[in-house]
Amino acid sequence: MSAWNSALLCANPASVWPPEMAALTIKQSKNPLFVMGSLLNNIPEEIAEKSLEIAKKRNITVVATGGSSLTLSKMNYKSRVIGIVELINNLKNPEWKGFDAKGNYDLICFIGVPYYIGSQGLSTLKNFAPHIKTLTLCRVMHPNADMSYPNMSYEEWLGWLTKLIDNLG
């Protein structure tokens, strides 16, 4: 599988994971974090609903970046709000206690973060935060993540997110 933008390649690209494996990874995580980006405001509402369903099923802390809190508040969901760059800088620090003071996170799930900034943030985490694994649930492949979905249409994406939710139990 190739990156959405073929110029953004890396030496150790992400593994493409089907929904069943993504669900298993989330279930095995001890302290996951779900980062929802500004594209949540521009994609079909069904995707935002599925994203929140994933977070609620596993009681995952949700962080809104880039104005995605607008969509989340319309859905009556109160999330943490922080800039993506500030969040990435905090995550790099293994001593950071996180938003709930339980310690740093072991898995970061991303959805709706614009590709150009998501790619750079994922690259930073890959190279400077070896204590964290990253999983992108976007409809485009992110080679700088540890695990990613492949490039797909909106309909396929909705189906993959539904399968992920079904496998979370």
Side-chain angles (χ1 to χ4, degrees), residues 89-154:
N89 284 333
N90 286 334
L91 290 169
K92 287 188 313 184
N93 178 2
E95 301 303 316
W96 185 50
K97 297 298 179 199
F99 294 103
D100 51 10
K102 294 181 183 175
N104 208 330
Y105 302 93
D106 60 343
L107 176 69
I108 312 298
C109 299
F110 290 89
I111 197 164
V113 176
Y115 195 86
Y116 64 91
I117 195 153
S119 179
Q120 299 308 306
L122 289 163
S123 175
T124 299
L125 293 176
K126 178 183 263 186
N127 291 296
F128 300 105
H131 56 282
I132 294 175
K133 295 291 178 209
T134 56
L135 169 64
T136 60
L137 302 176
C138 304
R139 70 178 199 93
V140 293
M141 205 297 193
H142 283 272
N144 284 315
D146 293 308
M147 302 151 278
S148 184
Y149 275 4
N151 300 331
M152 62 181 89
S153 69
Y154 279 109

Side-chain angles (χ1 to χ4, degrees), residues 3 26-27 30 36 52 59-60 62 67 73-74 87-89 103 106 109 133 143-144 149 156 160:
I26 292 169
K27 286 198 272 191
K30 291 178 177 65
M36 298 187 186
L52 281 179
N59 198 26
I60 301 172
V62 173
S73 65
K74 285 180 192 172
L87 176 63
I88 297 297
N89 284 333
D106 60 343
C109 299
K133 295 291 178 209
N144 284 315
Y149 275 4
E156 290 172 308
W160 278 50

Side-chain angles (χ1 to χ4, degrees), residues 22-86:
L24 183 62
T25 300
I26 292 169
K27 286 198 272 191
Q28 291 177 343
S29 174
K30 291 178 177 65
N31 193 16
L33 180 70
F34 205 148
V35 178
M36 298 187 186
S38 63
L39 296 180
L40 225 57
N41 298 329
N42 302 324
I43 56 179
E45 192 173 306
E46 292 172 310
I47 302 294
E49 290 169 356
K50 297 285 183 192
S51 301
L52 281 179
E53 196 172 340
I54 291 166
K56 288 176 182 177
K57 274 210 169 201
R58 300 306 298 176
N59 198 26
I60 301 172
T61 301
V62 173
V63 175
T65 67
S68 62
S69 59
L70 295 172
T71 296
L72 296 175
S73 65
K74 285 180 192 172
M75 300 172 81
N76 294 321
Y77 190 84
K78 193 159 179 92
S79 63
R80 310 286 179 152
V81 179
I82 190 171
I84 190 73
V85 174
E86 183 180 0

